[in-house]
Amino acid sequence: MADPSCPVCATADIICGKWTILVIRDLAEGRSRFCELERSLEGISPRTLSLRLRALEEQGIVERHTYPEVPPRVEYSLTPKGEALVPLIEDMRSYGRQWLGVDDGACATAAEPAEPVAA
Amino acid sequence: MADPSCPVCATADIICGKWTILVIRDLAEGRSRFCELERSLEGISPRTLSLRLRALEEQGIVERHTYPEVPPRVEYSLTPKGEALVPLIEDMRSYGRQWLGVDDGACATAAEPAEPVAA
DNA sequence: GCCAAAACTTCAGTTCGTGAAGTCTTGCGG
DNA sequence: CCGCAAGACTTCACGAACTGAAGTTTTGGC
């Protein structure tokens, strides 16, 4: 993107595409099928989901598992290189909770923020 | 993007635009002028930089300071809400170092990764 | 060889980012 | 008070990315 020798840029290149981080977030909860991802990521077009999964697979971040069954089944999961992105997603989750006033009601919040939400 | 009540989606909405995270990374090093950002983010168009800064300002993530001087000067800096994104950027930096084989030669790496780069 | 169902592709249209070029602001020097 | 230098942006035309609807491929049983 800017300087390819910058670690932040290199990582940004991977996750900057629309929906990419959310695909990884979903797969962090366990392997999933194409249509499950499509349903979870409400609003994504199948074309974009397909492009994202292919790109992530090429980058060694997700793995594709095919099952030759009656309706053919395909599942996706994170590789270790993909799992390593989970802390990043957790940071995003806590940022959203502390500063954007958004909470899906999962875990409890850790500490009082300096100037939450209102800022 | 997908579910607005999801903290990860809400945060993704903020940072998913091209260059956004890199603008914040630059401002994390201290307040900066338009042309300095333009020079640091090699390849960004002034239009995009302008759009990003405006959007981030509207979201309360950056602050704009104008100085009515001989050539008029404008500087940008992070608000607390913007500073709170720095841990996210640090995660991206260490991911880039550990898994993408990219190092701008700043700090030393912490520990040996399980399966670095090669994966 | 036809079927249902999952997993994608294809296509036309809109939105987002680029690169070059132009505009606007500021105050000083002529 | 006009023109100038220089920073900070707009504007415009073009190309790339994303969308939504519709179509295609794959699989094994009937």
Side-chain angles (χ1 to χ4, degrees), chain A residues 81-98:
Chain A
K81 189 178 175 185
E83 303 274 7
L85 286 166
V86 172
L88 193 49
I89 293 168
E90 285 312 313
D91 274 1
M92 294 178 63
R93 193 187 310 278
S94 53
Y95 184 86
R97 290 210 179 110
Q98 282 193 241

Side-chain angles (χ1 to χ4, degrees), chain A residues 14-110:
Chain A
I14 289 184
I15 62 172
C16 75
K18 200 173 173 186
W19 299 104
T20 307
I21 319 178
L22 300 179
V23 170
I24 295 167
R25 176 205 60 178
D26 274 17
L27 292 179
E29 316 246 306
R31 58 163 57 193
S32 184
R33 311 173 58 165
F34 190 92
C35 64
E36 288 170 343
L37 292 168
E38 212 174 353
R39 231 169 288 133
S40 166
L41 305 168
E42 205 179 347
I44 196 175
S45 66
R47 171 180 152 81
T48 301
L49 180 53
S50 179
L51 288 174
R52 288 295 164 273
L53 289 168
R54 190 186 320 291
L56 290 171
E57 195 189 352
E58 274 167 15
Q59 291 170 120
I61 287 170
V62 316
E63 261 172 357
R64 192 170 185 272
H65 315 271
T66 63
Y67 302 87
E69 297 176 352
V70 190
R73 179 159 61 102
V74 180
E75 290 186 348
Y76 297 89
S77 65
L78 292 183
T79 64
K81 189 178 175 185
E83 303 274 7
L85 286 166
V86 172
L88 193 49
I89 293 168
E90 285 312 313
D91 274 1
M92 294 178 63
R93 193 187 310 278
S94 53
Y95 184 86
R97 290 210 179 110
Q98 282 193 241
W99 294 93
L100 306 176
V102 167
D103 200 330
D104 49 6
C107 320
T109 352

